[in-house]
Amino acid sequence: MRSIRFQFFSIILTVLLILLVLLNIYPLISSRDLVFQEKESGMVSQAGVVASALSSLDSIGSSGVEEVLRLMDVSGFERIAVADEDGTLVYDSGRGPAPKELQRALDGKTVFRSGFDESAFVSACAVPYLAQDGRLGAVYLSERDQERAALIMTVQGRIRVASIVIAALAVVLVLGFAELLLRRIRELVKSMRIVADGEYDYRMKVKGRDEITELGEEFNLLTERLDETEKQRRRFVSDASHELKTPLASIRLLADSVVQNDNVDMATVREFAADISSEAKRLQRTTEELLDLSRLDDGVHVQSVPVDLKQVALDALVLLRPLAAEKKVYLHLELGEGCVIMANTDDMFHVLFNLTENAIKYNVEGGGVWLRLHRDEENVTLSVADSGIGIPEEDRLNIFSRFYRVDKARSRASGGSGLGLSIVHDAVMAHGGKITVGPNRPQGSVFTVSFPRPGEEETGI
Ligand SMILES: Nc1ncnc2c1ncn2[C@@H]1O[C@H](COP(=O)(O)OP(=O)(O)OP(=O)(O)O)[C@@H](O)[C@H]1O
Ligand SMILES: [Mg+2]
């Protein structure tokens, strides 16, 4: 694994290096070029002046040349040399062989050369001229400029020092910044490991307002959700085992009392067997409901088909009419036509059955249940209202939670496990619907479910 610090460092260092190298080379080269240009124009014109002075001489002889040069101020040059047509030096202020430039000037060209040798700018210029006798000559001037060279070297030295300081500063800053960043990332990774080890209530401390902070906040949100899910799962498992344990214990108790008693009469045995059967029925219903819930939880949807809710309501009522008759609850139906939605028939059956069953079960003798189904442009709406015992406002929020009962003793007596409404809720959600609960006037509750109406092309109607 290549660490972020290394990557960060190498990128910044490369950029810095390129920048510093450019900074060190560019001013030097450009100022040298500038000096060279200036030297060229200056020396060529000076050589021209000397040449024109020399061309006033009758012939190219050393005495005449010396005389002319003495009159002119040429002290600033390092070497002055004059050659005649054959290339023979007639005057030379310096020593050594004749400069090559003279020969090229005798060919009729103006020659300029310049260079920089650590301590000085060295430039030389040679120009041809014609003496009065018509013979060709050439004059050569050379110069060493130490002053300028020293100036440029000083500037370069300063740039170098500044570069080193900048580089050192940048390295320290980059390292510091990378360390700070890394520390926060390490903190994040550490927190993730803690949560991965199962400590779901752990929350990271977040500071600042940058992307890492955002990452930390997202992480905390995720952990919170994980925590919530985990708690829900535990609660569910414990509730479910409790729900299963209670009827099982009753069954055992009833069966044991028959087995351990030698002289039980047939009527008592029948009575106990009936109780056992009813407890078993409750167990069966609870396990069936648990299976339904786990299927809805999986989110594996059976394919949606057009479902006419009126037909589903009528099917559910076939099973519920006996219960309503037994409880002396009157059913009022207002079922509109064409209330078709895209859903799964079984899920919709659960919705209608559970809501209507509750409306009958938690009702009073002589009470009523109103089942209404209608549609408008956008939605298909189902409402189940009753004039029953009602649901206290503080319980309405939790009514769709698993195993939640308003009056534990009462609904357990009526055979409920508190799963019906969670199934209804999950089934409605799974098909894109909404469910709400409110009070009915003057008493009772109303459950309202609405689904978006599918387009004609979907239902084929
Ligand atoms: N129409 C209603 N009127 C009054 N209380 C209701 C009504 N519907 C539901 N409740 C309350 O909400 C609780 C949860 O209902 P839910 O249908 O989820 O469970 P249940 O009827 O007890 O059991 P199950 O439906 O699983 O057999 C019920 O126990 C009851 O207290
Ligand atoms: Mg119920």
Side-chain angles (χ1 to χ4, degrees), residues 344-363:
N344 167 257
T345 316
D346 279 351
D347 287 351
M348 289 308 111
F349 184 83
H350 283 311
V351 171
L352 274 146
F353 185 90
N354 280 315
L355 291 179
T356 318
E357 188 198 33
N358 284 348
I360 299 170
K361 259 199 324 193
Y362 305 109
N363 216 313

Side-chain angles (χ1 to χ4, degrees), residues 97-117:
K100 295 184 292 296
E101 286 82 1
L102 269 178
Q103 197 49 59
R104 293 186 36 219
L106 283 172
D107 291 343
K109 288 190 206 88
T110 298
V111 186
F112 176 79
R113 167 181 69 80
S114 62
F116 181 74
D117 75 359

Side-chain angles (χ1 to χ4, degrees), residues 38 51 139 147 166 190 237 279 360 401:
E38 197 191 301
V139 57
E147 227 170 89
I166 289 174
K190 197 181 92 192
V237 170
E279 289 296 323
I360 299 170
S401 309

Side-chain angles (χ1 to χ4, degrees), residues 159 368 378 428:
I159 289 179
E378 281 149 29
V428 168

Side-chain angles (χ1 to χ4, degrees), residues 202-354:
Y202 180 85
R203 297 287 177 276
M204 220 188 125
K205 279 186 220 65
V206 280
K207 307 189 272 284
R209 296 175 69 184
D210 55 9
E211 283 83 350
I212 302 226
T213 318
E214 214 174 302
L215 207 67
E217 280 165 0
E218 280 306 314
F219 168 76
N220 278 346
L221 228 67
L222 197 77
T223 317
E224 211 165 287
R225 238 178 260 157
L226 208 65
D227 192 18
E228 187 50 39
T229 317
E230 180 59 18
K231 278 188 189 135
Q232 255 173 26
R233 192 186 64 82
R234 289 212 190 110
R235 205 178 314 133
F236 181 74
V237 170
S238 92
D239 286 351
S241 34
H242 180 76
E243 280 317 309
L244 299 176
K245 215 168 67 187
T246 323
L248 277 175
S250 317
I251 289 176
R252 225 187 119 193
L253 192 79
L254 290 163
D256 281 355
S257 44
V258 175
V259 171
Q260 283 158 12
N261 243 319
D262 292 334
N263 39 7
V264 253
D265 57 279
M266 202 52 201
T268 319
V269 172
R270 274 239 172 73
E271 191 192 315
F272 281 19
D275 287 348
I276 288 177
S277 165
S278 112
E279 289 296 323
K281 218 161 97 194
R282 205 165 109 191
L283 262 181
Q284 190 182 12
R285 177 166 169 149
T286 308
T287 44
E288 269 165 14
E289 284 179 330
L290 283 173
L291 284 175
D292 280 334
L293 268 179
S294 99
R295 187 179 53 78
L296 281 165
D297 260 359
D298 279 347
V300 206
H301 293 323
V302 216
Q303 235 197 337
S304 286
V305 290
V307 177
D308 184 353
L309 292 183
K310 179 178 179 180
Q311 192 50 52
V312 180
L314 293 176
D315 290 345
L317 285 167
V318 170
L319 300 181
L320 289 167
R321 276 187 204 283
L323 181 69
E326 184 191 321
K327 297 260 310 180
K328 299 202 175 57
V329 167
Y330 297 96
L331 300 174
H332 308 266
L333 308 180
E334 289 168 32
L335 305 175
E337 296 295 333
C339 294
V340 177
I341 61 162
M342 292 304 288
N344 167 257
T345 316
D346 279 351
D347 287 351
M348 289 308 111
F349 184 83
H350 283 311
V351 171
L352 274 146
F353 185 90
N354 280 315

